[in-house]
């Protein structure tokens, strides 16, 4: 089997994890032995299960580092899924390359940029070494255009913000620059930035 690397990149609320799980389920359906990993920001993170087409539960293994993926690898594994790839160390790039060189298919999903619009963790390198890249976008909460950015409304500046996603909004380029002053305004009362054409 020929190995490969597929990366699904996008902002928050863009559906990256759903797309990853869709691809994972397809591999399970094709009879491949799949292992799914997710970054554990802290060790309280519980194992979650992804329900596959035949109602079998595929465990999503929380790991703290890229090396932990290698530690958990099983002989029969043909496909590896990695969610929240942006939170991993740079070592993930070598791990992924090594797995693909061994003939495995590696599917990754992650945030391409943090809330400052800075490329996130190992994502730029993963995008570079990928055989296939899918960049998906969310919908801007303010104007409804395609949104590339995850805007942070709570004023905090930690890049890794453990906890709820409530502080984030999907915003397009124009609305990103409206800053925090529209954070408290409900989406339906925000100024529409959609260019009005003759109607
Ligand atoms: Zn917008």
């Amino acid at each position: 089997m020929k190995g490969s690397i597929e990366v699904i990149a996008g902002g928050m609320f863009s559906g990256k994890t759903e797309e990853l799980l869709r691809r994972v389920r397809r591999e399970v359906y094709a009879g491949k032995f799949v292992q799914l990993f997710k970054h554990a920001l802290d060790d309280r993170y519980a194992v979650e299960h992804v329900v596959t087409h035949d109602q079998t539960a595929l465990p999503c293994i929380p790991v703290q580092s890229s090396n932990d993926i290698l530690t958990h690898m099983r002989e029969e594994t043909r496909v590896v899924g990695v969610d929240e790839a942006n939170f991993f160390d740079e070592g993930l790039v070598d791990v992924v390359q090594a797995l693909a060189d061994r003939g495995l298919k590696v599917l990754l999903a992650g945030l391409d940029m943090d809330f400052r619009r800075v490329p996130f963790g190992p994502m730029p390198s993963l995008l570079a070494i990928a055989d296939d890249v899918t960049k998906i976008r969310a919908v801007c909460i303010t104007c409804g255009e395609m949104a590339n950015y995850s805007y942070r409304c709570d004023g905090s500046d930690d890049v890794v913000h453990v906890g709820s996603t409530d502080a984030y909004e999907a915003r397009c380029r124009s609305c990103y620059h409206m800053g925090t002053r529209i954070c408290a305004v409900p989406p339906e009362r925000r100024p529409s930035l959609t260019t009005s054409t003759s109607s």
Side-chain angles (χ1 to χ4, degrees):
M1 186 177 130
K2 216 169 75 175
S4 62
I5 302 166
E6 295 178 19
V7 176
I8 304 154
M12 291 181 70
F13 316 110
S14 64
K16 299 179 302 298
T17 299
E18 285 105 296
E19 176 58 21
L20 174 69
L21 297 183
R22 189 186 71 82
R23 294 186 194 185
V24 161
R25 286 192 190 95
R26 224 165 45 154
E27 299 295 336
V28 173
Y29 186 73
K32 307 278 169 56
F33 193 90
V34 179
Q35 279 189 284
L36 184 59
F37 298 93
K38 180 176 189 165
H39 193 272
L41 288 171
D42 61 57
D43 51 16
R44 291 168 302 171
Y45 221 91
V47 175
E48 291 167 19
H49 288 84
V50 178
V51 178
T52 57
H53 74 290
D54 58 357
Q55 304 303 309
T56 53
L58 179 69
C60 182
I61 307 161
V63 288
Q64 303 270 6
S65 76
S66 54
N67 259 326
D68 292 347
I69 294 178
L70 295 177
T71 309
H72 283 88
M73 283 302 295
R74 291 175 53 172
E75 189 73 31
E76 62 270 45
T77 301
R78 293 294 169 268
V79 178
V80 176
V82 181
D83 198 10
E84 296 183 338
N86 51 287
F87 288 135
F88 279 85
D89 50 281
E90 287 291 334
L92 184 62
V93 180
D94 288 341
V95 166
V96 162
Q97 192 77 282
L99 293 174
D101 285 348
R102 273 190 227 166
L104 278 75
K105 181 187 271 194
V106 188
L107 308 168
L108 305 112
L111 292 164
D112 46 1
M113 289 171 276
D114 63 25
F115 70 97
R116 303 165 305 172
R117 306 194 296 180
V118 173
F120 210 144
M123 288 298 283
S125 304
L126 292 169
L127 289 162
I129 66 164
D131 297 280
D132 182 79
V133 170
T134 304
K135 188 149 172 169
I136 50 178
R137 289 185 284 179
V139 167
C140 177
I141 192 171
T142 298
C143 71
E145 293 293 311
M146 297 296 260
N148 262 345
Y149 309 121
S150 311
Y151 191 84
R152 176 101 149 256
C153 270
D154 67 358
S156 153
D157 57 6
D158 323 328
V159 172
V160 178
H161 190 54
V162 185
S164 105
T165 57
D166 294 357
Y168 294 92
E169 296 186 342
R171 290 200 194 174
C172 71
R173 188 179 294 274
S174 305
C175 297
Y176 184 88
H177 291 296
M178 295 186 77
T180 50
R181 67 199 150 93
I182 57 169
C183 284
V185 182
E188 67 276 10
R189 293 180 51 203
R190 292 185 184 185
S192 172
L193 292 175
T194 313
T195 314
S196 51
T197 48
S198 55
S199 52

